[in-house]
């Protein structure tokens, strides 16, 4: 699943390619996950000019000049493709055709990707927002007697962090992902907050460097810990694997366990 750094780059590239263009046609090909009808998408978006594309948590948002917003959650296997005049991509969920012939298709062979109209603004702060402060993180961790990794992955607490980057963040902070959230001391919570920003921003930088025009996929080859083929961390510790809530967690004995 694309995570925050991936989507940050996608949104930048989509904004650069499509903003300022008038939407000629929108076609909802698969209504399995959409809460609105094809007619509702057409009424809200067709004939309107795209003002900007941005990211909210794990979603892409397309804002039009009439203030209508198209949301796209790619889920696990959703992919975006440009097309010219006619969309020939298989498993299309929704397609957008702009005046001039440039189009964008959201596909998903599992049919799980979610297009939405005017999605609600979530209550939880984005991981890179000003609202996500050290104090906020301290308050959230202090309430929980569960593994700290579960907290970072809970989109109702903080939005944007996924499984892979959570492992990178905990390694960078020197904290075991299995630590009990409420047992982590204040200096380590601060280190965790710092690691969140540093890891996500550095990942975005690496993705832009390696694939400057990317709008789909996941780039993971620069990761230090969450790498199936890696056996040791950059400092030489053995990388272990263990499941946590059905997800593979990568960690080392360098990371301090608080329990």
């Amino acid at each position: 699943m694309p995570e925050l750094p991936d989507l940050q780059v996608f949104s930048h590239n989509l904004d650069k390619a499509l903003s300022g263009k008038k939407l000629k046609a929108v076609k909802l090909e698969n209504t399995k996950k959409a809460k609105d009808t094809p007619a509702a998408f057409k009424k809200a978006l067709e004939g309107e000019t795209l003002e900007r594309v941005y990211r909210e948590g794990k979603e892409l948002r397309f804002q039009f000049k009439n203030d209508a917003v198209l949301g796209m959650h790619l889920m696990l296997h959703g992919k975006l493709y440009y097309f010219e005049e006619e969309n020939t991509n298989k498993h299309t969920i929704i397609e957008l055709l702009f005046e001039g012939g440039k189009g964008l298709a959201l596909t998903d062979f599992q049919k799980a990707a979610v297009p939405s109209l005017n999605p609600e603004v979530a209550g939880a702060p984005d991981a890179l927002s000003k609202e996500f402060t050290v104090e906020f993180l301290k308050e959230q961790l202090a309430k929980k007697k569960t593994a700290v990794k579960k907290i970072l992955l809970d989109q109702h607490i903080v939005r944007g962090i996924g499984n892979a980057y959570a492992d990178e963040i905990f390694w960078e902070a020197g904290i075991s992902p299995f630590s009990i959230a409420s047992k982590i001391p204040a200096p380590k919570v601060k280190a965790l907050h710092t690691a969140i920003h540093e890891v996500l921003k550095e990942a975005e930088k690496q993705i832009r460097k390696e694939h400057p025009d990317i709008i789909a996929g996941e780039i993971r080859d620069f990761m230090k810990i969450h790498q199936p083929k890696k056996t040791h961390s950059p400092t030489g510790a053995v990388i272990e694997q263990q499941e946590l809530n059905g997800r593979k967690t990568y960690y080392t004995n360098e990371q301090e366990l608080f329990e």
Side-chain angles (χ1 to χ4, degrees), residues 12-224:
H12 170 81
N13 291 334
L14 290 164
D15 184 70
K16 183 172 63 174
L18 301 175
S19 285
K21 295 184 181 296
K22 184 178 286 188
L23 187 63
K24 182 179 178 181
V26 56
K27 188 183 293 184
L28 185 64
E29 296 279 9
N30 189 292
T31 59
K32 181 179 179 181
K33 294 289 185 177
K35 295 180 181 178
D36 298 278
T37 65
F41 279 89
K42 285 179 176 290
K43 183 178 179 181
L45 305 177
E46 284 188 353
E48 300 296 336
T49 299
L50 181 63
E51 195 166 61
R52 67 180 180 124
V53 183
Y54 60 101
R55 178 194 60 78
E56 276 285 341
K58 290 187 177 182
E59 281 194 21
L60 293 171
R61 301 280 173 88
F62 298 72
Q63 182 176 325
F64 291 80
K65 284 196 174 178
N66 65 343
D67 290 331
V69 176
L70 168 65
M72 289 187 187
H73 197 307
L74 306 186
M75 301 303 287
L76 195 60
H77 296 292
K79 293 185 182 298
L80 292 165
Y81 296 96
Y82 293 125
F83 64 88
E84 293 294 333
E85 298 293 350
E86 184 179 356
N87 173 34
T88 58
N89 293 288
K90 295 181 179 179
H91 312 297
T92 296
I93 303 296
I94 191 170
E95 67 177 66
L96 310 175
L97 178 62
F98 294 89
E99 287 186 354
K102 194 173 186 69
L104 180 71
L106 168 62
T107 72
D108 186 353
F109 71 90
Q110 286 191 331
K111 302 178 181 179
V114 183
S116 58
L117 271 179
N118 302 315
E120 293 182 6
V121 178
D126 186 271
L128 293 181
S129 68
K130 293 179 181 178
E131 291 74 27
F132 185 65
T133 62
V134 175
E135 288 306 316
F136 176 85
L137 183 58
K138 283 180 182 177
E139 290 172 9
Q140 296 304 312
L141 297 186
K143 301 174 185 177
K144 308 293 182 181
K145 297 180 180 180
T146 187
V148 67
K149 184 176 178 180
K150 291 176 65 177
I151 309 303
L152 284 203
L153 296 183
D154 189 338
Q155 301 302 300
H156 293 98
I157 295 175
V158 55
R159 293 180 293 126
I161 302 172
N163 190 51
Y165 283 105
D167 288 347
E168 297 291 298
I169 288 165
F170 285 118
W171 184 81
E172 195 68 35
I175 300 170
S176 169
F178 304 100
S179 295
I180 301 302
S182 60
K183 299 293 184 181
I184 300 173
K188 276 296 188 179
V189 174
K190 186 175 181 179
L192 178 59
H193 185 269
T194 299
I196 289 170
H197 282 259
E198 289 182 351
V199 168
L200 295 178
K201 283 294 189 180
E202 179 60 25
E204 181 184 346
K205 181 179 175 182
Q206 290 296 325
I207 294 168
R208 286 182 190 273
K209 181 181 177 181
E210 294 182 27
H211 299 272
D213 300 316
I214 194 170
I215 62 166
E218 301 170 1
I219 310 302
R220 300 284 187 265
D221 54 4
F222 55 82
M223 285 190 161
K224 300 174 181 177

Side-chain angles (χ1 to χ4, degrees), residues 228-255:
K229 293 182 180 179
K230 280 192 174 180
T231 59
H232 292 76
S233 76
T235 51
V238 174
I239 298 174
E240 307 284 352
Q241 287 185 40
Q242 188 174 326
E243 284 205 359
L244 178 62
N245 278 21
R247 300 181 182 185
K248 282 187 178 180
T249 294
Y250 294 71
Y251 64 101
T252 74
N253 61 9
E254 303 165 293
Q255 296 164 246

